[in-house]
Amino acid sequence: MNKKNKFFDIYLELEQDITSGVYPAGTLLPSENVLAKRFSVSRETIRKALVLLLENGCIQKLQGKGSIVIDRERYSFPVSGLTSFKELQKSEHMNAITKVIRNERATLPNRIADFAGLPRGSSCLAILRVRYLEGEATILDYDYLLDNTNPIETEILEDSLYQYLENEKGYEISYAQKEITVEPLNAEDKKYLALHGDTHVVVVKSTVFLKDTTLFQYTESRHRLDKFRFIDFARRR
């Protein structure tokens, strides 16, 4: 063990224990005292190793309980791409189904009109869908179509909205602007998602444009924290 960076070596060893299943997802790591004895170091050194585990998404600190191992078997969600759930389901080999909760003509909520830069009172088609992964309600998708589209058949919405719009309606969907936040649960998150004690969700808000730069859709996708890792490609300029 490197005497200068003992905490880093401990971090690597504990990470390997987590990856190999010595400490499965959902279980608690041994206490700081137990770990200090195992590695023959101070509790301060153990704390530094635990901080690295926390920062790298291996554990979550629980007040009064200790460090719980996080499930890192998440699906990769391409933030920079414009990918339909159907396409993502295929590429990630997901065992997933979609259930339509709402599919109706509505007035665009003021907060969304403001976010999208549209006049308040604009009409839209409001769609709410729940995505079930491995049998659990994991994603809540809000879609607002802004071009006065009539309600779309449930079978289409449970399969692929974009496939229908592009292949049947001739839409040329081109690009989107996205905003990613972590937000407290709302009433519908609590009603429809299997949360396992979570208090927040990851929210991806998108304004989607056609090839001619027409804004035609606003989406808000609310993800359970433990099932997705959001990925992007970055290059130093």
Side-chain angles (χ1 to χ4, degrees), residues 9-200:
D9 290 332
I10 294 169
Y11 154 71
L12 291 176
E13 188 165 337
L14 290 174
E15 182 189 41
Q16 178 59 36
D17 286 345
I18 290 170
T19 302
S20 65
V22 174
Y23 303 120
T27 62
L28 291 170
L29 289 183
S31 69
E32 291 179 4
N33 284 331
V34 170
L35 290 173
K37 290 179 181 178
R38 169 183 167 182
F39 293 104
S40 300
V41 297
S42 68
R43 287 182 61 187
E44 182 59 31
T45 300
I46 294 298
R47 289 192 188 105
K48 290 180 179 180
L50 294 178
V51 167
L52 286 179
L53 289 172
L54 181 71
E55 291 176 346
N56 285 278
C58 297
I59 62 170
Q60 177 65 42
K61 300 289 286 185
L62 295 180
Q63 186 68 32
K65 292 186 177 180
S67 302
I68 189 168
V69 177
I70 291 176
D71 182 2
R72 296 204 291 177
E73 292 299 316
R74 304 181 184 187
Y75 296 103
S76 298
F77 192 94
V79 175
S80 60
L82 186 49
T83 306
S84 72
F85 186 81
K86 180 78 171 183
E87 293 163 341
L88 182 64
Q89 180 180 342
K90 183 177 180 180
S91 67
E92 293 290 324
H93 308 289
M94 294 179 181
N95 177 15
I97 62 171
T98 297
K99 180 179 179 182
V100 177
I101 303 298
R102 189 157 59 243
N103 176 26
E104 61 190 11
R105 297 287 308 156
T107 298
L108 194 64
N110 286 340
R111 65 180 180 81
I112 295 174
D114 294 342
F115 180 88
L118 295 170
R120 291 191 173 191
S122 297
S123 61
C124 66
L125 174 62
I127 302 165
L128 176 61
R129 291 176 287 180
V130 180
R131 314 291 193 175
Y132 291 82
L133 304 180
E134 308 297 339
E136 285 199 329
T138 305
I139 306 169
L140 200 56
D141 273 345
Y142 295 83
D143 288 282
Y144 299 89
L145 298 184
L146 310 176
D147 58 352
N148 297 317
T149 304
N150 291 322
I152 298 171
E153 292 181 13
T154 297
E155 292 78 8
I156 292 172
L157 297 178
E158 290 180 346
D159 183 33
S160 175
L161 173 60
Y162 273 20
Q163 180 175 298
Y164 167 75
L165 292 177
E166 290 177 321
N167 296 340
E168 302 294 328
K169 304 293 287 185
Y171 281 47
E172 294 184 284
I173 302 170
S174 182
Y175 64 95
Q177 296 173 338
K178 299 187 179 185
E179 174 184 296
I180 303 171
T181 57
V182 176
E183 300 181 7
L185 302 177
N186 65 26
E188 289 188 324
D189 295 330
K190 296 175 183 177
K191 181 177 181 179
Y192 294 115
L193 295 181
L195 294 165
H196 301 295
D198 289 346
T199 58
H200 291 71

